[in-house]
Amino acid sequence: MQVFAHISDIHIGGSEQSVDRAALVMRRLLSFPGRLDAILVTGDIADHALVEEYETARDLLRSPVPLIVCPGNHDTVPEFEKVIGPANQVLRLDGVTIALADSSIPGRDDGRLADETIAWLDEVLSERPDVPAFVGMHHPAVALGVPYVDEIRLQEPERLAALLDRHPHVVAVLAGHAHTGVATTFAGRPLIVAPGVVSTLLTPTESEALVDHDLPPAFALHVFDQGRLVTHFRPVTR
Ligand SMILES: [Fe+2]
């Protein structure tokens, strides 16, 4: 069994509460009494992509548990890489590989996997074809019923679908961007979107307002056991 905490969209500098909310969630994760194998952060790390925002994020995301991060549409890769690390990161654990890939497009809010990112994923996923793998990125590859986000989702999702077809050991796809915990499917696999730490986006069914800043930050807890992924979505209020 492996257990992963998945957080997203901390948007440091994006609101007065951004630092407190990220700190609250990290404190919760790092005080778990039980098993936690890794922490995954699927983008939108710094709201304005400023080096000082990344420095704050780096300090907040310090963890004795292995932690990997990818950029989002609010991030810029040069600043991200200067402070946080490579834009594509992989964790090779006993029994599972987790690859987080850069789906950002410079100057745009929608996403796309560049040729070199697809090539990187192909290489990483080819290393251990017998070991289950998870692939994560910022942008969800399907529409989620959140109109604002749906317009700026992953473009050319068929490129990701083709990659997954080449690597049947990929168990699920993980994403962020939508600021709402979502379970759906893509290319025959679960697609799990982590809630937003900085805020929550609502569906038109729930509210005419797009953003809720009062709902608590939340995370996804992925439990992978005997080939099955089970995800718990958990708000953090203290
Ligand atoms: Fe975001």
Side-chain angles (χ1 to χ4, degrees):
M1 182 177 74
Q2 286 91 13
V3 182
F4 313 111
H6 176 190
I7 68 175
S8 201
D9 296 81
I10 62 174
H11 284 264
I12 296 306
S15 77
E16 275 178 27
Q17 294 80 35
S18 61
V19 170
D20 287 349
R21 288 171 73 106
L24 182 70
V25 171
M26 284 302 292
R27 246 193 336 268
R28 169 61 59 88
L29 303 184
L30 296 180
S31 64
F32 284 164
R35 176 171 187 153
L36 183 65
D37 295 279
I39 298 174
L40 321 174
V41 191
T42 46
D44 278 0
I45 306 306
D47 197 62
H48 309 96
L50 302 173
V51 165
E52 50 264 41
E53 292 174 342
Y54 285 117
E55 287 168 349
T56 301
R58 177 194 58 201
D59 294 344
L60 286 164
L61 297 175
R62 280 215 171 93
S63 161
V65 176
L67 183 150
I68 56 173
V69 192
C70 66
N73 55 301
H74 277 257
D75 297 300
T76 54
V77 169
E79 282 72 19
F80 180 99
E81 292 199 320
K82 194 169 169 182
V83 183
I84 301 292
N88 297 318
Q89 301 189 10
V90 60
L91 214 47
R92 298 171 186 88
L93 300 174
D94 260 0
V96 70
T97 303
I98 307 171
L100 294 189
D102 174 23
S103 59
S104 69
I105 308 172
R108 294 177 59 143
D109 285 325
D110 56 350
R112 183 177 178 272
L113 295 172
D115 290 348
E116 52 274 28
T117 307
I118 296 266
W120 177 79
L121 281 167
D122 260 326
E123 188 183 320
V124 162
L125 292 171
S126 298
E127 282 171 14
R128 304 197 294 174
D130 300 329
V131 175
F134 292 82
V135 170
M137 65 205 63
H138 183 64
H139 296 83
V142 301
L144 304 174
V146 181
Y148 170 71
V149 172
D150 290 349
E151 283 169 21
I152 52 172
R153 66 183 187 267
L154 190 79
Q155 303 302 305
E156 299 177 48
E158 63 278 5
R159 289 155 53 83
L160 175 59
L163 173 95
L164 298 176
D165 284 349
R166 293 194 291 278
H167 301 283
H169 60 299
V170 176
V171 173
V173 180
L174 310 176
H177 194 43
H179 295 217
T180 174
V182 172
T184 182
T185 57
F186 174 72
R189 293 161 174 86
L191 166 59
I192 309 292
V193 179
V197 169
V198 76
S199 65
T200 302
L201 293 187
L202 301 169
T203 63
T205 293
E206 298 165 279
S207 170
E208 287 171 7
L210 175 68
V211 191
D212 189 310
H213 293 281
D214 297 323
L215 284 169
F219 61 90
L221 191 69
H222 301 301
V223 180
F224 183 58
D225 192 17
Q226 299 185 11
R228 169 171 288 124
L229 176 66
V230 176
T231 300
H232 303 256
F233 294 102
R234 188 74 67 235
V236 185
T237 52
R238 56 183 152 55

